[in-house]
Amino acid sequence: MKNRKREICTSGSVRDEDGQPPHLLGRRNFLHLAAGAGALPVLSRIARAQAYPTRPVRWIVGFPPGGGADTVARIAGQWLSDRLGQPVIIENKPGAGTNIATEAVVRAPADGYTLLLVTAANAINTSLYEKLSFNFSRDIAPVAGLAWYPLVLEAHPSVPATTVAELIARAKANPGKITVASAGIGTAPHVAGELFKMMTGVNMVHVPYRGSAPMVADLLSGHVQVAFDTMTASLPHIRSGALRALAVAGKTRFAGLPDVPTVSDVVPGFEASAWQGVGVPRGTPNEIIERLNREINEGLANPVIKARLADAATTPMVFTPAEFGAYMAAEIEKWGKVIRAANIKME
């Protein structure tokens, strides 16, 4: 190594050949080293994100196997497995309105190896439950949308109403006489029914069930009269004529029932949908979030995946992470207003 020359200045101070005092050189070298050391965590994080994933990824689903939510997760999970080159393992953790699953993901490391199936239940639960051990908006970072589940307002054929307008007129003429069933307190069908009552001013009696299957069973038998339900669960019964579809609750008509109007055709501004997306623990590197978003959205654009989602009576929901975050925030605000107005509470 070449030795630096020093010279004595007229002031008597010692300077290096580039004119810098030795103590400043030491400080300058220290700052260079410190800057390099500070960049190491960033470079290490980027390197980890570029190598991601190097092991299987867990996808936590807050519903039992075999239902609509689980079906969509498995369709998307197989696509992700192929694209990421690592198994994406669906882990079902039902219970407490999806709160058990959400808490498991909140407590997981923020490394991209634990995903959450985010659903409308998460937006509803934010206001529905007074005591939660986590803050969904703060603790879960949005990744991507997956699918919308159109809700359908349906009735038993014995109900003398074939349109939304006729149902509203009959309910106003017979306050408290018409029953509206749901899959349980605080579920998307329940809050959709409450929103319908609020916007139309009708008085219908809510009958909650423990899930969609028993609700549909009683609706088919005529024990309850009307209900909001996901198209996934009710479409076969509507097509067979066992149930009558009065209207679709989404913003647009459902392609599988093109002749059925929307509720908003009669009740302007009404919209209620079940939906799914993907979230990760807050703090997950942006590079990993962007990778997952890109792969998921490419899957939602794939003709084979789109056809499988259509078979499940769902519609692809394509969002950037920021767009999905904004959508979730809007849903939280919307259903929070309904829950507070209807005084719905869960411990």
Side-chain angles (χ1 to χ4, degrees):
M1 181 182 292
K2 183 179 178 181
N3 294 326
R4 287 181 175 271
K5 296 179 180 180
R6 296 181 178 179
E7 59 181 15
I8 307 297
C9 298
T10 54
S11 62
S13 63
V14 180
R15 294 183 180 272
D16 193 79
E17 63 182 358
D18 61 1
Q20 298 295 328
H23 72 282
L24 291 183
L25 284 172
R27 181 173 181 272
R28 182 178 61 189
N29 289 337
F30 171 78
L31 291 174
H32 282 313
L33 290 171
L40 286 176
V42 176
L43 294 173
S44 177
R45 187 169 66 249
I46 293 174
R48 289 198 304 271
Q50 289 175 339
Y52 170 87
T54 59
R55 63 179 191 271
V57 176
R58 298 164 63 217
W59 193 350
I60 309 297
V61 175
F63 298 91
D70 180 72
T71 298
V72 170
R74 291 180 188 277
I75 292 171
Q78 183 57 58
W79 170 268
L80 268 182
S81 294
D82 295 341
R83 300 287 290 189
L84 297 178
Q86 290 288 342
V88 174
I89 301 169
I90 305 298
E91 187 174 326
N92 299 92
K93 284 184 176 292
T98 73
N99 288 327
I100 292 174
T102 303
E103 183 172 9
V105 176
V106 167
R107 307 301 176 209
D111 55 10
Y113 288 94
T114 307
L115 313 181
L116 174 67
L117 184 72
V118 179
T119 70
N122 292 110
I124 294 167
N125 290 349
T126 300
S127 299
L128 181 66
Y129 287 83
E130 295 184 343
K131 296 178 182 179
L132 289 173
S133 62
F134 57 86
N135 182 312
F136 175 75
S137 300
R138 179 196 64 206
D139 296 333
I140 294 294
V143 172
L146 276 180
W148 276 289
Y149 288 73
L151 293 181
V152 57
L153 175 56
E154 57 196 4
H156 186 269
S158 64
V159 176
T162 59
T163 67
V164 172
E166 289 176 359
L167 176 64
I168 293 171
R170 184 166 184 81
K172 287 185 175 180
N174 299 274
K177 298 291 182 64
I178 295 178
T179 52
V180 54
S182 81
I185 295 174
T187 60
H190 177 202
V191 295
E194 295 297 334
L195 180 62
F196 182 79
K197 291 193 289 183
M198 288 169 53
M199 294 184 70
T200 59
V202 299
N203 177 9
M204 296 192 295
V205 178
H206 174 228
V207 181
Y209 287 82
R210 303 191 73 169
S212 175
M215 179 200 75
V216 171
D218 266 14
L219 189 61
L220 288 167
S221 66
H223 290 151
V224 286
Q225 294 163 293
V226 299
F228 282 91
D229 196 19
T230 61
M231 196 71 74
T232 305
S234 291
L235 187 59
H237 305 299
I238 292 169
R239 285 178 169 163
S240 72
L243 293 177
R244 178 187 299 137
L246 302 181
V248 176
K251 292 181 179 179
T252 60
R253 295 192 180 200
F254 176 60
L257 296 173
D259 296 329
V260 177
T262 65
V263 177
S264 61
D265 289 340
V266 177
V267 187
F270 184 93
E271 190 271 329
S273 298
W275 49 268
Q276 289 179 204
V278 182
V280 290
R282 184 71 63 177
T284 299
N286 287 334
E287 296 82 5
I288 290 177
I289 290 176
E290 291 293 339
R291 169 81 188 278
L292 289 168
N293 177 270
R294 182 172 63 254
E295 303 296 1
I296 290 168
N297 285 347
E298 287 185 8
L300 296 178
N302 181 276
V304 175
I305 300 298
K306 289 175 71 174
R308 293 185 66 187
L309 290 175
D311 288 342
T314 66
T315 303
M317 186 168 79
V318 180
F319 282 139
T320 65
E323 289 169 343
F324 186 41
Y327 179 80
M328 290 193 303
E331 287 284 284
I332 289 170
E333 181 180 4
K334 172 181 178 176
W335 295 121
K337 291 178 180 178
V338 174
I339 289 165
R340 288 187 291 273
N343 196 29
I344 309 169
K345 294 180 180 180
M346 293 286 284
E347 293 295 332

